[in-house]
Amino acid sequence: MTIRVVIVDDQALVRAGFRMVLDSQPDLKVVGEAIDGADALRVLARTEADVVVMDIRMPTMDGVEATRRLCADRPAGPPRVLVLTTFDTEADAFAALQAGASGFLLKNVPPEDLLAAIRVVAQGDSVVAPSITRRLLDRFAGQLGAAPTADPRLAQLTEREREVLLLVAQGLSNAEIANRVHVAEATVKTHVGRILAKLQLRDRVQAVVLAYESGLVTPGG
């Protein structure tokens, strides 16, 4: 299956570079470009896409507001939004993910990481840049109140699923979790899918928030 991508960035050189990298892949196709958030909404109104690669800081309408409007109009997706920015701050990540983005990466990631992130997001999973994961999780915790409340939904999880949820909340990827618990990566993916289904969550980000809200993990823990 070909993953259809729309690139949103106010710099023409950046858009051209992304297009060159993406179009070099047989399973990826750039189907549109936009120069800011408002332009992106116009392009996506007439273009079918699976993933939007969205810059955050742009004139007229920034990427966070564009993501919020896009996800509000299409809550079940597609397209899913992968935010790319030069700013390594948890505030940007938090705002983007709150708006509905499925991923957040820095623009200086290697091309292979960008390609992998697009494929992951297209499959319905979430991506957060490793360099900001811990700060992002602690920021979530700081906004969730001082008294964690046990969530009865957690009782549905098996012991292994609770273990996987804890590792997801610590920012580990499926591959890292597989290495930690000594199972195949495909098995971890199955566990994560069951966790999201049992807890009625959209993606890993929501799973992380629930883990903090319920006291399963603590800031800095």
Side-chain angles (χ1 to χ4, degrees), residues 185-205:
E185 185 174 348
T187 302
V188 174
K189 185 175 181 180
T190 298
H191 284 315
V192 172
R194 288 175 179 167
I195 290 167
L196 296 180
K198 287 181 177 181
L199 302 182
Q200 299 178 311
L201 301 174
R202 184 188 66 207
D203 54 36
R204 295 170 84 101
V205 174

Side-chain angles (χ1 to χ4, degrees), residues 140-154:
F140 270 130
Q143 298 196 9
L144 295 174
T149 303
D151 193 306
R153 290 176 294 177
L154 293 174

Side-chain angles (χ1 to χ4, degrees), residues 149-161:
T149 303
D151 193 306
R153 290 176 294 177
L154 293 174
Q156 303 175 63
L157 303 182
T158 65
E159 183 177 346
R160 175 50 61 88
E161 287 167 350

